[in-house]
């Protein structure tokens, strides 16, 4: 009965007029961002963080969450229609979705993506409602030792699951940890790594780093490598799949939902990894694998279900443990901190309106995506043809205004510009910036729990290995490191990195 009363509380929150409007705004913006290649939910949420200052915490998170899972849907639209994935997680959808469009089945492919996303989102929302409180209850038993070990595991997992060079991923995490140390030491009160700049006494704002690395860095990269966009379809028909199509969707959607729900929880996993895994499973288990890549409906249903489920279950570790499983969840934690809420297992107990309102809003948002986006396909197709030269000045101006509004200081704008240039250089050096953001968010918390642990144990570092939960978490981190250092796994990773180049 408790779960029903909690969901009723969430429904009262999610169905309030303002929260419905902001949820609608979030999924609309998310879809638009997903349609436009080169922006993405990470950069968009980073740019919109200053806007959320004046909103209630639950309203802010509902809108930001809508942007995230709305972008997963929007990316599939252009992947299917013009073979140009708006999101990295939609790359797999383009393999069969675009071929279906060329075969005159664009409507069926879009409907498959919509139905698969809605079904997966509904199941993932139920999983969050049932499993997140239980996980949070377990996490409440954690002390500083367990939290330190958990964050070490999260950082190691983000290194293991990051794409590209292993050495680059380690470097990015360490860079993020160092940036997180800038500011005033919480124990001694001394300023450190500030180079005498008083503006850095409180550390570097999360918004500045996120906007610079992901916003401006993405813009500079896109200006150098802007892709041509050619829209070949002006009208889409046949949006209602046949009974035979629906029958062929059921099993792939089910398997994709399960894969996405599991992989979404893993640090560094999420939507992209889930969509690739779901597609590989469908192709391997199919009796006719030769159909894949030529317009197989299973090749659209499975990855779309997986990426939407992965996007939503990635909220579980963020809400219950305060651990971000991907860069967007790191931004969500930043939004909570800016609202004065400490992420972690106490959120469910101390902020039930926020937690349950967000969960119910996910189902509402997925329903909005299903109802709104198919009729708006014509609008999304027109948006693809907007020249990037008209988009980027507005984005830069919005970033500058948002950062200036933090402290009314021009120093913050210059700092953001510096991080933007750094983000561009990182992309040129094939360094994925996502681990940097995770290290930056977890760094201060990692240091805090480490110092607390050492104070409690009077400087005895072996206490991390004598406490059972802490020892298990550290053992898992070691096993992950050993697995990635295995010759076969290392060779395969390097081959994949070479192929990307």
């Amino acid at each position: 009965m408790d779960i029903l009363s909690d969901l009723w509380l969430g429904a009262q929150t999610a169905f309030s007029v303002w929260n419905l409007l902001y949820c609608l705004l979030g999924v609309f913006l998310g879809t638009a961002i997903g349609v436009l290649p080169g922006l993405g939910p990470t950069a968009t949420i980073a740019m919109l963080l200053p806007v959320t200052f004046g909103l209630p915490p639950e309203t802010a998170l509902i809108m930001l969450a809508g942007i995230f899972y709305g972008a997963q849907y929007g990316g599939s639209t252009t992947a299917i229609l013009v073979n140009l994935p708006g999101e990295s997680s939609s790359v797999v959808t383009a393999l069969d979705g675009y071929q279906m469009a060329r075969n005159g089945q664009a409507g069926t492919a879009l409907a498959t993506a919509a139905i698969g996303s809605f079904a997966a989102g509904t199941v993932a929302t139920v999983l969050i409602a049932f499993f997140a409180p239980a996980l949070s209850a377990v996490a409440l038993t954690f002390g500083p030792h367990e939290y330190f070990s958990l964050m070490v595991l999260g950082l190691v997992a983000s290194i293991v699951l990051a794409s590209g060079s292993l050495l680059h991923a380690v470097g990015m995490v360490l860079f993020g940890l160092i940036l997180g140390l800038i500011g005033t030491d919480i124990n001694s009160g001394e300023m450190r790594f500030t180079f005498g700049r008083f503006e850095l006494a409180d550390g570097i704002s999360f918004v500045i780093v996120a906007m610079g690395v992901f916003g401006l860095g993405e813009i500079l990269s896109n200006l150098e490598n802007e892709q041509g966009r050619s829209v070949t379809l002006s009208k889409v028909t046949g949006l209602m799949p046949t009974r035979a199509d629906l029958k062929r969707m059921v099993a792939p959607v089910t398997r994709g939902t399960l894969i996405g729900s599991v992989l979404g929880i893993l640090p560094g996993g999420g939507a992209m990894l889930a969509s690739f895994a779901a597609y590989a499973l469908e192709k391997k288990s199919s009796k006719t694998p030769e159909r894949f890549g030529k317009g197989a409906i299973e090749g659209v249903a499975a990855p779309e279900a997986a990426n939407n489920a992965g996007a939503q279950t990635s909220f579980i570790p963020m809400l219950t443990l305060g651990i971000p499983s991907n860069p967007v969840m790191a931004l969500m934690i930043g939004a909570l901190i800016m609202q004065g809420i400490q992420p972690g297992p106490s959120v469910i107990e101390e902020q039930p309106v926020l937690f349950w309102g967000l969960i119910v809003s996910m189902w509402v948002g997925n329903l909005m995506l299903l109802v709104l986006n198919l009729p708006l396909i014509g609008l999304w197709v027109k948006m693809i043809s907007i020249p990037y030269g008209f988009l980027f000045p507005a984005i830069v101006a919005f970033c500058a205004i948002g950062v200036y509004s933090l402290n009314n200081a021009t120093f913050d704008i210059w700092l953001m510009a510096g991080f933007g240039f750094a983000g561009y250089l990182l992309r040129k050096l094939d360094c994925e910036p996502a681990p940097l953001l995770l290290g930056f968010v977890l760094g201060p918390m990692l240091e805090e729990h480490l110092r607390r642990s050492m104070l409690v144990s009077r400087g005895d570092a072996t206490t991390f290995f004598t406490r059972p939960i802490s020892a298990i978490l550290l053992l898992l981190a070691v096993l992950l490191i050993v697995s990635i250092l295995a010759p076969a796994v290392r060779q395969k990773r390097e081959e994949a990195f070479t192929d990307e180049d």
Side-chain angles (χ1 to χ4, degrees):
M1 294 298 293
D2 287 342
I3 190 74
L4 292 178
S5 61
D6 290 332
L7 288 173
W8 175 245
L9 173 65
Q12 290 176 303
T13 304
F15 284 98
S16 71
V17 175
W18 281 111
N19 286 341
L20 281 174
L21 287 174
Y22 276 102
C23 183
L24 177 62
L25 176 64
V27 297
F28 182 84
L29 282 175
T31 306
I33 293 306
V35 165
L36 294 170
L39 292 179
T42 307
T44 306
I45 292 174
M47 289 185 288
L48 288 176
L49 280 179
V51 179
T52 64
F53 286 167
L55 298 176
E58 59 274 12
T59 305
L61 239 66
I62 285 172
M63 182 183 74
L64 295 177
I67 292 172
F68 181 39
Y69 53 80
Q72 306 305 319
Y73 181 91
S76 66
T77 301
T78 47
I80 291 169
L81 295 181
V82 291
N83 199 27
L84 191 61
E87 278 299 296
S88 57
S89 58
S90 300
V91 171
V92 184
T93 304
L95 298 177
D96 283 279
Y98 183 61
Q99 293 302 320
M100 288 182 70
R102 292 185 65 185
N103 296 335
Q105 296 178 291
T108 303
L110 290 167
T112 300
I115 294 169
S117 295
F118 176 73
T122 301
V123 173
T125 303
V126 172
L127 291 176
I128 296 173
F130 279 94
F131 289 105
L135 185 59
S136 180
V138 173
L140 284 171
T141 64
F142 281 22
H145 303 80
E146 287 78 12
Y147 265 112
F148 170 79
S149 301
L150 179 65
M151 289 175 188
V152 169
L153 176 61
L155 290 174
V156 170
S158 70
I159 292 170
V160 171
L161 294 172
S163 61
S165 166
L166 177 63
L167 185 61
H168 287 177
V170 173
M172 287 298 94
V173 168
L174 292 177
F175 187 25
L177 290 174
I178 292 171
L179 289 175
L181 296 176
I182 295 172
T184 305
D185 184 274
I186 55 174
N187 286 353
S188 67
E190 293 289 328
M191 291 200 303
R192 57 187 185 183
F193 308 118
T194 60
F195 300 97
R197 300 289 309 201
F198 184 74
E199 295 93 337
L200 296 175
D202 291 331
I204 300 174
S205 170
F206 175 81
V207 177
I208 293 173
V209 177
M211 277 195 177
V213 174
F214 287 95
L216 297 186
E218 199 74 40
I219 288 170
L220 291 172
S221 181
N222 290 333
L223 286 173
E224 185 180 48
N225 302 303
E226 186 182 0
Q227 293 174 283
R229 304 170 190 165
S230 56
V231 182
T232 56
L233 295 172
S234 57
K235 189 175 182 181
V236 178
T237 56
L239 290 173
M240 280 303 294
T242 64
R243 184 175 296 181
D245 291 332
L246 290 172
K247 188 176 179 181
R248 290 163 60 191
M249 281 183 218
V250 174
V253 167
T254 303
R255 286 190 287 264
T257 301
L258 292 174
I259 291 172
S261 298
V262 173
L263 293 181
I265 300 173
L266 298 176
M272 184 172 68
L273 183 62
S275 62
F276 275 92
Y279 187 85
L281 177 63
E282 288 304 314
K283 188 173 181 179
K284 192 170 184 179
S285 61
S286 175
K287 295 179 180 178
T288 54
E290 66 276 2
R291 293 187 303 109
F292 284 77
K294 299 178 181 178
I297 196 171
E298 298 89 345
V300 176
E304 279 302 303
N307 72 39
N308 202 275
Q312 293 193 207
T313 55
S314 61
F315 281 86
I316 293 178
M318 186 276 286
L319 289 170
T320 59
L321 303 174
I323 301 293
S325 58
N326 55 53
V328 173
M329 291 305 107
L331 291 167
M332 295 289 183
I333 286 180
L336 285 174
I337 293 172
M338 287 190 299
Q339 293 279 358
I341 298 172
Q342 181 60 41
S346 59
V347 167
I348 297 179
E349 296 291 331
E350 297 175 1
Q351 303 286 337
V353 172
L354 168 72
F355 180 81
W356 293 105
L358 177 62
I359 287 177
V360 175
S361 77
M362 289 180 181
W363 185 84
V364 175
N366 274 281
L367 185 60
M368 287 178 175
L369 285 171
L370 183 66
V371 173
L372 290 177
N373 280 293
L374 289 178
L376 293 176
I377 284 170
L379 173 63
W380 307 135
V381 171
K382 288 180 181 177
M383 284 185 63
I384 306 169
S385 59
I386 298 176
Y388 197 70
F390 292 120
L391 288 175
F392 88 85
I395 297 171
V396 172
F398 192 85
C399 286
I401 293 169
V403 166
Y404 184 79
S405 67
L406 294 174
N407 301 306
N408 294 330
T410 54
F411 177 80
D412 291 345
I413 297 178
W414 288 110
L415 198 59
M416 178 189 68
F419 277 108
F421 184 66
Y424 170 72
L425 286 180
L426 292 177
R427 286 168 175 81
K428 295 292 287 183
L429 295 171
D430 294 314
C431 294
E432 186 182 357
L436 182 152
L437 193 62
L438 297 180
F440 180 72
V441 170
L442 292 180
M445 292 188 282
L446 186 77
E447 181 196 14
E448 181 183 349
H449 290 299
L450 173 62
R451 295 174 77 165
R452 281 184 184 177
S453 301
M454 297 305 286
L455 285 171
V456 170
S457 64
R458 299 181 182 275
D460 182 11
T462 61
T463 186
F464 292 106
F465 303 97
T466 56
R467 297 172 71 99
I469 297 177
S470 174
I472 290 171
L473 293 171
L474 289 176
L475 178 62
L476 289 173
V478 171
L479 290 175
L480 280 175
I481 294 173
V482 171
S483 69
I484 199 62
L485 292 177
V489 177
R490 190 182 181 91
Q491 183 180 358
K492 191 171 183 180
R493 183 189 181 105
E494 289 175 356
E495 288 174 355
F497 180 51
T498 305
D499 291 341
E500 286 180 6
D501 292 343

